[in-house]
Amino acid sequence: MAMTHSTIRSLLVILSVALMSAGCATGAGIKDSDPHLVGNRDMNYDHLIVPGTRIGPVGLGSKVSGVVQHLGEPDSVSRSTFRGPGYDADEVYYFYQDECIQFTWLDSGIEPKVENGMRGINVTCGKWATADGVRVGMSVKDVVSHLGAYCASTRDDGSLLISTKEGIWFDAPDRNGAVTRILIVPTMTNWGGMCPE
């Protein structure tokens, strides 16, 4: 069976979530070699969600050091040491409780960058919003009324994932619930095998 690039990418997303759930991530914490806050935090940033691009100061592919200058040291850090196809460095997960934001980066190179893939940049509270006001806490029906084309898929546990090709995804406990997490991922030209084209 031939697999498309998008199908492989979808499988890698599922695999990374499964590995995190299975305990391949550790709570090893921040390392001396990780980017750290230098001087005072730069509190000058917006709370805007821009599909396919950024949430506030955290942009897909942006320098982790720049993000840390805005958000400060993370409240908690997890690392995945899994090595497989496409995984040649530790994945590091930074969590900021007060800002309710989480992002992933690869521990490689001179200037590590926020992961520019399907793990995305995630927020779990309503302080972040799109230009038209979509935020965590809104009902699924209100959120989809702001979207053009979208793909809704139900997971085995009954929870709902709503994805768009524009690079913004939404998690909800079910179709009647409120959105509990918003993810920013790269823009796509197809549904990655999650929904019929």
Side-chain angles (χ1 to χ4, degrees), residues 51 118 121-122 134-155 157-186 188 190-191 194-195:
M118 305 308 284
I121 303 162
N122 306 267
V134 174
R135 65 183 67 237
V136 167
M138 290 177 68
S139 73
V140 168
K141 291 177 182 168
D142 284 344
V143 167
V144 298
S145 73
H146 288 266
L147 305 177
Y150 65 88
C151 168
S153 52
T154 304
R155 298 182 183 105
D157 66 358
S159 64
L160 190 65
L161 175 66
I162 301 164
S163 58
T164 72
K165 292 179 183 177
E166 288 77 25
I168 186 168
W169 293 4
F170 306 90
D171 273 337
D174 57 49
R175 71 176 63 91
N176 295 316
V179 167
T180 56
R181 182 172 66 134
I182 296 176
L183 300 86
I184 295 303
V185 298
M188 301 184 304
N190 58 48
W191 297 120
M194 293 187 287
C195 288

Side-chain angles (χ1 to χ4, degrees), residues 3-11 190-193:
M3 294 194 351
T4 65
H5 178 68
S6 60
T7 303
I8 292 169
R9 187 171 37 177
S10 296
L11 292 173
N190 58 48
W191 297 120

